[in-house]
Amino acid sequence: AQSVTQPDIHITVSEGASLELRCNYSYGATPYLFWYVQSPGQGLQLLLKYFSGDTLVQGIKGFEAEFKRSQSSFNLRKPSVHWSDAAEYFCAVEAQGGSEKLVFGKGTKLTVNP
Amino acid sequence: GAVVSQHPSRVICKSGTSVKIECRSLDFQATTMFWYRQFPKQSLMLMATSNEGSKATYEQGVEKDKFLINHASLTLSTLTVTSAHPEDSSFYICSAAQGIGANVLTFGAGSRLTVL
């Protein structure tokens, strides 16, 4: 079965510092991968997605992610974090191609220090 | 952009009562909606797939008699937690698909259910 692992439960960075959130997946075929952000008490907002093609994907709010098949990873990065980026971040894989069913990781909570 | 509205955002009920949560796609039609449950500091767990005009498809381990799902129109799906108990307290989130594939999913803001 498909699974997503986010090894870091909580990460704290200083404002202006770079950020990398890790995500590893387990999937037999070419995965459809996603990163979502959830602010407190809010739903999920799609940051970016990877389906095929260029393995470096650009998203909203200055985020990017790189798909590395050899490492089964899809890490999220941002060169300079803003205080407003503090939130919970979820990596997800589509359970079956075209099914719209998502399997989520447990999330990484990001705290940004001034 | 696409908007999905959930109502209520917060609800508190007594044990044994039933609670209905609505999920509406405001500016698009959604033949498929999904209901997730999120425990504190946990991931989202898919509960069921709601299909307009047909019965919902439940994930393994989800009690279909406990969590009733109705998708009566292309813009509305409802989740009813029947005979709620404290262990049903959770954050419930819906998502709606504008087309085929998860790339067109829009999530609601979630509904916090507290059962006393």
Side-chain angles (χ1 to χ4, degrees), chain A residues 21-109:
Chain A
L21 302 182
R22 295 183 291 165
C23 172
N24 293 95
Y25 65 89
S26 171
Y27 191 69
T30 301
Y32 290 178
L33 294 159
F34 306 80
W35 273 100
Y36 287 88
V37 60
Q38 183 182 33
S39 297
Q42 299 292 314
L44 275 70
Q45 181 182 22
L46 179 66
L47 285 176
L48 47 78
K49 58 185 182 283
Y50 170 78
F51 285 175
S52 65
D54 194 347
T55 56
L56 184 62
V57 180
Q58 301 297 320
I60 63 172
K61 303 184 179 186
F63 285 93
E64 67 177 26
E66 186 171 11
F67 170 61
K68 293 186 177 180
R69 184 187 299 276
S70 61
Q71 298 177 20
S72 297
S73 69
F74 188 57
N75 295 347
L76 182 71
R77 300 193 295 249
K78 186 169 184 177
S80 179
V81 170
H82 188 262
W83 64 266
S84 60
D85 294 324
E88 189 97 24
Y89 292 81
F90 291 94
C91 180
V93 62
E94 188 167 309
Q96 298 165 253
S99 74
E100 303 146 347
K101 289 186 177 182
L102 292 176
V103 175
F104 286 87
K106 291 190 174 183
T108 297
K109 182 178 180 179

Side-chain angles (χ1 to χ4, degrees), chain B residues 46-88:
Chain B
L46 179 65
M47 298 173 65
T49 302
S50 173
N51 301 295
E52 188 268 336
S54 64
K55 291 184 178 179
T57 304
Y58 290 81
E59 296 299 305
Q60 191 173 11
V62 178
E63 299 176 62
K64 58 182 67 177
D65 295 330
K66 160 68 91 173
F67 300 100
L68 300 180
I69 291 173
N70 183 276
H71 195 153
S73 78
L74 286 171
T75 59
L76 174 64
S77 175
T78 60
L79 168 68
T80 301
V81 182
T82 63
S83 187
H85 290 281
E87 57 265 30
D88 298 324

Side-chain angles (χ1 to χ4, degrees), chain B:
Chain B
V3 177
V4 171
S5 173
Q6 271 188 251
H7 179 79
S9 58
R10 290 179 180 272
V11 56
I12 300 173
C13 70
K14 293 182 179 180
S15 185
T17 61
S18 294
V19 174
K20 181 185 286 187
I21 301 170
E22 294 185 345
C23 178
R24 292 181 184 272
S25 56
L26 296 186
D27 47 5
F28 66 98
Q29 294 183 329
T31 55
T32 305
M33 293 185 176
F34 300 88
W35 286 96
Y36 291 84
R37 183 174 180 176
Q38 185 179 27
F39 292 99
K41 300 184 179 181
Q42 295 287 321
S43 183
L44 284 77
M45 301 299 295
L46 179 65
M47 298 173 65
T49 302
S50 173
N51 301 295
E52 188 268 336
S54 64
K55 291 184 178 179
T57 304
Y58 290 81
E59 296 299 305
Q60 191 173 11
V62 178
E63 299 176 62
K64 58 182 67 177
D65 295 330
K66 160 68 91 173
F67 300 100
L68 300 180
I69 291 173
N70 183 276
H71 195 153
S73 78
L74 286 171
T75 59
L76 174 64
S77 175
T78 60
L79 168 68
T80 301
V81 182
T82 63
S83 187
H85 290 281
E87 57 265 30
D88 298 324
S89 298
S90 193
F91 195 54
Y92 294 89
I93 301 177
C94 74
S95 68
Q98 289 180 270
I100 297 174
N103 59 312
V104 290
L105 283 178
T106 302
F107 284 80
S111 299
R112 170 85 53 199
L113 170 63
T114 302
V115 184
L116 303 177

